[in-house]
Amino acid sequence: MSMSIWESLAVLVAGIGAGTINTIVGSGTLITFPVLLATGLPPVTANVSNTLGLVPGSISGAIGYRNELKGQRDRILRLGAVSLVGGLAGAVLLLVLPPESFDTIVPVLIGLALVLVVLQPRLAASLRRRREAAGADTAEGEGGPVLLTGMLFSSAYGGYFGAAQGVLYLGLMGLLLHEDLQRVNAVKNVIAALVNGIAAVFFLFVAEFDWTAVLLIAVGSTLGGQIGAKVGRRLSPTVLRGVIVTVGILAIVQIVLR
């Protein structure tokens, strides 16, 4: 379909906003998806176009956080492998399941993630004390099977729709990893890039999408990724946690009311 100049500008601006908020927290899809629907794109086509367009933004955000990624190679490889499987599964689900079957659980997942984010400092300290007392090994300190399972299902959701995907990642990793929240956020950006990327590759071959929308969001989200990295890296853990909770609540409200 052809977009007017004003529609194109709106999609570009939405892409910038999505790239920025995705790098800091996540939930950028809640900005771009409604705008794409407003231009007249069908929901599935809008969702696929959005996923394709946000891939460069995720990569841009990950590059912006490259300093915080140092020393996390093994962690990224382990979590990334599981997340790729989940992301591909979610992309397949988008094309074979009715939207209602997945939408019903989305607000619950986001709400659970927000509870984890809020309680993370206390819960993480408690878990750390228990591990130290029990002499737990490094693998357990890296989240163990619980984190891998959580990342698998969160990535399946990300491949399916992706709104507040980053909030789920931050909630899980913030609780189960012995790591600073900014470094966790850096890993989140890489994982999001991987999940969006595998879903995008799948969609390129089997789904309908709008190239104009894809290119506009790609340009906007790439710019937004750099903006988000500059802003997000300056936020204290407390402020970043507050931003995560605020965005997550807005995501729940929008999903429930749409």
Side-chain angles (χ1 to χ4, degrees):
M1 61 169 288
S2 59
M3 293 185 187
S4 68
I5 294 177
W6 293 110
E7 287 175 334
S8 299
L9 181 60
V11 174
L12 177 64
V13 172
I16 295 174
T20 301
I21 197 67
N22 273 345
T23 302
I24 298 174
V25 182
S27 299
T29 291
L30 297 177
I31 300 175
T32 48
F33 187 66
V35 173
L36 291 177
L37 292 180
T39 67
L41 288 177
V44 173
T45 303
N47 193 16
V48 171
S49 302
N50 181 66
T51 298
L52 289 166
L54 288 178
V55 171
S58 298
I59 296 173
S60 176
I63 293 173
Y65 266 88
R66 58 189 176 277
N67 289 334
E68 285 77 11
L69 289 172
K70 292 178 181 177
Q72 301 199 77
R73 179 177 174 274
D74 291 343
R75 175 180 291 163
I76 291 171
L77 289 175
R78 182 174 59 259
L79 297 180
V82 171
S83 298
L84 282 173
V85 174
L88 181 58
V92 173
L93 287 175
L94 176 65
L95 301 183
V96 300
L97 292 179
E100 297 80 8
S101 63
F102 216 78
D103 284 350
T104 52
I105 199 171
V106 169
V108 177
L109 289 174
I110 299 174
L112 177 60
L114 294 183
V115 172
L116 292 178
V117 169
V118 172
L119 298 180
Q120 182 265 332
R122 225 175 257 184
L123 293 176
S126 176
L127 286 174
R128 185 163 52 251
R129 287 193 297 270
R130 289 185 182 182
R131 291 192 189 106
E132 291 172 353
D137 59 20
T138 303
E140 184 67 22
E142 282 292 305
V146 175
L147 179 58
L148 292 177
T149 302
M151 294 297 288
L152 176 68
F153 284 102
S154 296
S155 297
Y157 167 63
Y160 184 91
F161 183 50
Q165 169 189 3
V167 176
L168 296 175
Y169 289 153
L170 288 171
L172 284 167
M173 291 189 291
L175 172 63
L176 298 172
L177 294 178
H178 298 167
E179 198 58 86
D180 175 77
L181 192 57
Q182 289 289 2
R183 282 172 59 80
V184 169
N185 199 27
V187 175
K188 178 265 295 179
N189 287 328
V190 175
I191 299 299
L194 291 174
V195 171
N196 286 339
I198 191 66
V201 171
F202 175 76
F203 290 147
L204 278 173
F205 292 99
V206 300
E208 294 184 3
F209 52 89
D210 185 277
W211 270 117
T212 302
V214 171
L215 292 174
L216 288 170
I217 292 177
V219 172
S221 65
T222 300
L223 294 173
Q226 292 301 302
I227 296 171
K230 286 187 171 76
V231 174
R233 293 173 70 208
R234 295 175 181 173
L235 298 178
S236 69
T238 301
V239 173
L240 180 57
R241 198 167 280 112
V243 172
I244 294 169
V245 172
T246 301
V247 172
I249 291 174
L250 292 175
I252 293 174
V253 171
Q254 184 167 340
I255 291 172
V256 169
L257 296 181
R258 73 183 175 90

